[in-house]
Amino acid sequence: MSAPSFSSFPSSFSSFPVLDPGPSKRPATPAEQSADARKKKKKKKDREEKERKGRQHKHDRAEYDSRERRTDRSKKHKEDSPYAGFDDERLKAQEDVFLRAEKASHSEQLLYFTDRKGDPLNTQYGGLYAGSVPRYYLVGGGKTILGLEHGWRVVHRGRKGVEVAVGGKRKMPGLTDSSARHLLHAPPTRRLLASSEDKYKYDEVEGFLRISSGRERKGDPSYRSITASRHDANADESESSEDEGEESSGDDSDTTPMTSLQVTLKSLEERLSADPASVPTWLSLLSHTLSTVPITSKNAPKARSEITLSILQRALSAHPQNASSKVLRLRYIKAGEETWHESKLRAEWEDALKVGGIEMWMEWLDWRIRKGEKGVEGIVEDAKRVLGAVIGDEIGMLRVLWRVAVGFRDAGYVERATALFQAQAELTYRTHPDMARQPFERQLDALEEFWESEAPRMGEANTKGVPYWTTNPIGDVTNLVSPRKAANISARERDPFRRWAASESLSDRAYQLPTRSFDGAADEDPYATILFADIRPLLVDIRSAKAKDIFRRIWLAFLGLHVPGFLATLTSLSQESTDDRWACAHLASPSHLAAIVPSEANSAARRITADAQAGVLIGREREYSNAFGPVKNWGYGVLGALEAVPGTRWTMWGPEDVADVSIDLVREVFAQCRTGDDTEWDVLSLAFEGACNLKSAVAQSKKMLASAQNSLPLWAAHARLQRLRGRLDDARKVYQTILGSSNSTSAAHRQLWWDWAEMEWLAGRPESATEVILRSTGSQGTGGIPILRAKRQLQEAITVPSTAWKEREYIMKLWTLLELLTASPESALSTLDVHLSALDPGTLPHESLVVVSLSLLYVHGIVLRNPMPPALLRERAERVIEQHPSNTIVLGMFLEAQKGQAIWGRVKTLFGEGAEAGMRDKDLSRRAAEVWLASWEKGRWEAEQERTRGGLSAAVQSERTRGSTALWQLYVQFEVRTGHVERAKKLLFRAVGECPLAKELYLLAFGPLRKAFSGRELNGWAETMAERGIRMRRGLDEALEGWTEEGGDNRAEETDTEDEIEHNARELRRLRPY
């Protein structure tokens, strides 16, 4: 059946439905027609009246013009003017102005209008008629609202409503408003791109670049153009070529749909498509993606965790090699700690441990200690499992031993931690050679017999002269072991909670050595006496000389003597290692906290910032503290043990570094852990003595030199001690005596030659320094030829391939200093840059050599005040600090170069996170240095508090540092010293949640935060400590005997109220007039 044809049907509209006509098409009724007729008649009458008035107005105007022509002939040119109606229009405009003013005056008298006459068409059409809509005008231009007081005015009308303000002025958005923050975080919408055809795409006109707002519209008809184009004839021919040119020049447009971050992410995805096994590319993709979520934003930890899990899950499944990557596995599990359930987290850890490796096991042990499920005994069980898995890795086992000892100390078991090091030292340094050949378990059995005899052990005073420990009974040991002395507790503290916390903290620092069973203190405190069974499962068998040297350095670090860069030498993945979270506990010592965080937070408010002279305010000169602060961190070996930063006395250890160290115990460790001819260890002991007392250090150095007169490192250390004391003549005699009769070119001789030349240079004697350098090469005289010969010889010495990097550095220093003294700073830097280009950035030799370049410029321009462009040091320091942001030597010279500049604009990348900070996670030392940096410029501490608080907040949320007890102590102390006690209290609850076995965190509630806690809360706090296995030397209930809680709490509350009032008053004065 075929479809019917429409042409077969006749054209008709009868099939359409009949619809009612609309309002505009409906025929009018007779009544409506009569109304329309009356309306038309009225309109006609009004039009005739208007025309009559217009003719009358023109007649009057003509008479007025003729009268003007008769009275003033100077206006005759108006008769011939083509704009004859100009005067008429002006008069009409004047009348309109008068009418509007009259209406305005009338409207100001009325608050509202009443429309009494309705529109008759509304009833006819059932609604408003589009041709006759009544007009209403807002009173006062819409500025006033009926019912509001006279002072309130409408300042803005928008889609979201009406904005009302007092005075009629709209509040402009400030830098802290949400709209301003949105604009600051908005991605760029325009970007200037270089043209591929022309180097200068935009022509400069009067110092500005004229940039078009967008592309010109094409395709408009030619009739819309005002003037005809000169190329209309060729328009059709060139249309296709213009289209092709538009496509080719698309890349040169000044607008782009992609931001720089999107371009970077796109390029990383392309690289991963080509090489999915590239772990650095995956980590870079993760860092750039996480930069879109600020770590301090709301719900940032969970959001960043989900992003990390998504990307790393792709990475682990992208290639089989990625599944065995320790770095990716650790990042994946750390991110899962925020979102996974406990059972899933345990399963993931067990799966990751199958990969193996000490880094994986160390992270697992740290996670278990931070969980704190079974207290100290749980730490021992987990450590036994790790030691069984990494057996054979001596350095790895020493790292486990160090971590366990720190866990014991944090929980309050200081004697057990020290006993662990004592027993390991007995096995390492005082085991008889015959016993050393026995199995390890047999050695432990013999050591247990010696331990239970309670004879003097390593680290104690009466073990000198005993080469080996023995199992034979040595008679009565009561007189060999000195009893424990009572710690002096200040009696000025009346609050029992504060007094108890101070007693606990002081006892933990003073009582480090374990007691004996016959000591009276053992009866009062059972945990003070350590049995061998408590530490036997944790002892390890180390036999190599390197492992033995590392052990004694670990013991020094545990006692509080931090050697910068030493921690990075214990692992092959130094960039990914997080051991500094627990190893750098010295940063939380009282002396370091006092130096990092200012003790008087309101000192800036009392400083006078300006003077007045003859009624004119004159700003005072900016004052700065020492640019080399309390945080010391650099690569291992960049700065020697007794080597100071040129021009300063800032060494590896200073008086502030040994203030909280048990000096007697450290001295015993230096004396008893010495093995044969151990020059480097002796120099380290001299550095410690120099930090305590320079005079005693010189005396000890002379004793060492009496028995080792041929030791050049000891002579160099002795000369440096004399330089630190200011005895340059004595140091010069040492150099002249040692180097005058020797022509050797060994590394020790190179060091002495450099030390001598540097001393003469710093003393302001450049000629003597030049002569010393020439003598080091065997050249005689001071002319140009000897200088050229010396430079050539130094250049040849550097190119020797068998030379160690430290010896090459001494040669490079001599050559660069010779260039600086005989040529210019630019020539010296060019010499250094040639050798820096041959080194890999990030390596230890590269870091050491860039520090040398900055030191030369710092001494030449700032210390010696020689003429030098300031930008030379400033620009180089800015480049170096981007490569080594955690190096505090570089930071100090960077700050010196920035004095007088806009320092806080320059260093914002140091405080930033993510992409702004160079996509590198900040370690604990860098976080502490940023806190100290806020108070470097005197008087700026209060202005930098929010920036510092933001950095610390980001640090405690970062996966890199959130489990650090020292960081939490620093953050809480910062809030306490800035006066925010309640905020510090909330932080403390978070801190004990992250570090449940940290006794020092609990004691903060009884000490600095006493005002924020009531007695009832502190009693519950002490019960929590007991439940979690925190060791308390004395029960809190004993300290509270005879104390009335109500009176004490009332006094505390009154003091708290007064402090809050004073703090609020200071804040109001500081924020004035804002």
Side-chain angles (χ1 to χ4, degrees), residues 176 298 358 402 475 587 616 664 967:
T176 58
K298 186 177 180 180
I358 184 59
W402 189 4
L587 294 175
V616 179
D664 295 334
L967 180 64

Side-chain angles (χ1 to χ4, degrees), residues 66-344:
S66 62
R67 186 166 57 251
E68 287 291 326
R69 286 194 298 271
R70 288 194 301 268
T71 56
D72 190 3
R73 295 181 178 275
S74 62
K75 299 180 180 179
K76 185 177 180 181
H77 62 277
K78 290 186 178 181
E79 297 178 1
D80 303 329
S81 175
Y83 305 101
F86 174 76
D87 294 335
D88 183 34
E89 293 295 334
R90 184 176 61 180
L91 182 61
K92 186 174 181 300
Q94 293 176 355
E95 292 177 356
D96 292 342
V97 170
F98 176 76
L99 292 175
R100 284 196 298 269
E102 185 178 0
K103 289 182 179 180
S105 62
H106 179 68
S107 63
E108 290 179 356
Q109 297 175 0
L110 299 176
L111 294 179
Y112 55 91
F113 292 92
T114 302
D115 186 7
R116 299 179 180 272
K117 182 179 179 181
D119 189 355
L121 297 180
N122 290 347
T123 57
Q124 178 181 349
Y125 295 105
L128 295 177
Y129 178 53
S132 179
V133 178
R135 297 180 179 179
Y136 299 94
Y137 298 94
L138 296 176
V139 178
K143 298 295 183 181
T144 59
I145 296 180
L146 181 65
L148 285 182
E149 296 182 2
H150 181 69
W152 292 89
R153 309 280 287 179
V154 177
V155 296
H156 178 68
R157 293 178 181 269
R159 296 180 179 179
K160 296 183 179 180
V162 179
E163 183 177 349
V164 182
V166 178
K169 292 184 179 180
R170 187 182 183 187
K171 180 184 178 182
M172 301 305 296
L175 293 178
T176 58
D177 293 347
S178 59
S179 58
R181 290 197 302 269
H182 177 72
L183 290 176
L184 290 174
H185 291 93
T189 57
R190 297 175 61 85
R191 187 171 62 171
L192 302 181
L193 300 177
S195 175
S196 58
E197 301 176 356
D198 189 6
K199 181 179 180 181
Y200 301 100
K201 181 178 180 180
Y202 302 99
D203 296 331
E204 182 179 349
V205 179
E206 297 180 357
F208 296 93
L209 295 177
R210 292 187 176 181
I211 303 174
S212 59
S213 60
R215 295 183 178 180
E216 297 180 358
R217 293 190 304 173
K218 296 184 179 181
D220 291 340
S222 59
Y223 62 82
R224 298 191 64 182
S225 178
I226 298 177
T227 58
S229 174
R230 291 178 297 177
H231 304 285
D232 285 345
N234 302 332
D236 296 337
E237 299 177 1
S238 61
E239 182 177 358
S240 60
S241 63
E242 288 179 0
D243 294 340
E244 296 176 358
E246 180 182 355
E247 295 177 0
S248 63
S249 63
D251 295 337
D252 298 335
S253 174
D254 58 346
T255 60
T256 175
M258 298 180 64
T259 63
S260 59
L261 178 61
Q262 293 172 341
V263 172
T264 304
L265 294 178
K266 181 180 178 181
S267 64
L268 290 174
E269 292 287 355
E270 294 174 354
R271 290 164 55 185
L272 289 174
S273 300
D275 185 13
S278 177
V279 175
T281 308
W282 282 108
L283 295 179
S284 180
L285 176 65
L286 176 62
S287 300
H288 283 85
T289 307
L290 290 179
S291 65
T292 59
V293 183
I295 197 170
T296 55
S297 60
K298 186 177 180 180
N299 297 328
K302 185 176 181 179
R304 292 170 65 91
S305 174
E306 293 175 352
I307 294 173
T308 304
L309 291 175
S310 175
I311 295 177
L312 293 184
Q313 194 170 8
R314 285 180 50 203
L316 293 174
S317 59
H319 197 274
Q321 295 181 1
N322 295 347
S324 59
S325 174
K326 301 175 184 177
V327 177
L328 294 180
R329 282 281 187 178
L330 290 177
R331 290 285 187 95
Y332 182 68
I333 294 177
K334 288 180 181 179
E337 291 182 11
E338 190 69 30
T339 57
W340 289 340
H341 189 266
E342 183 69 22
S343 59
K344 179 175 176 56

Side-chain angles (χ1 to χ4, degrees), residues 769-789:
T770 306
E771 182 181 355
V772 170
I773 298 175
L774 295 179
R775 287 182 58 185
S776 68
T777 60
S779 302
Q780 300 294 331
T782 57
I785 295 179
I787 291 176
L788 292 176
R789 188 181 296 114

Side-chain angles (χ1 to χ4, degrees), residues 855-924:
S855 301
L856 292 173
L857 294 177
Y858 170 72
V859 173
H860 182 74
I862 296 180
V863 177
L864 300 179
R865 299 186 179 276
N866 291 319
M868 184 187 73
L872 201 62
L873 174 61
R874 184 169 61 248
E875 294 175 358
R876 179 169 287 263
E878 291 172 1
R879 294 196 303 269
V880 173
I881 203 170
E882 292 178 359
Q883 300 173 352
H884 308 281
S886 298
N887 190 312
T888 52
I889 302 176
V890 177
L891 176 62
M893 295 181 183
F894 172 76
L895 295 178
E896 287 289 346
Q898 294 295 333
K899 281 186 178 180
Q901 304 292 325
I903 174 66
W904 304 112
R906 299 274 186 176
V907 300
K908 64 180 181 180
T909 54
L910 299 179
F911 291 98
E913 304 292 332
E916 297 180 356
M919 293 298 176
R920 296 178 60 180
D921 292 333
K922 300 180 182 180
D923 54 12
L924 183 59

Side-chain angles (χ1 to χ4, degrees), residues 597 945 949 952 970-985 987 1009:
V597 184
Q945 287 181 10
R949 182 176 290 110
L952 289 173
L970 180 61
Y971 196 2
V972 175
Q973 290 285 359
F974 168 80
E975 295 294 352
V976 170
R977 299 191 183 189
T978 53
H980 300 86
V981 181
E982 291 297 329
R983 185 179 294 175
K985 180 180 179 181
L987 277 176
L1009 296 178

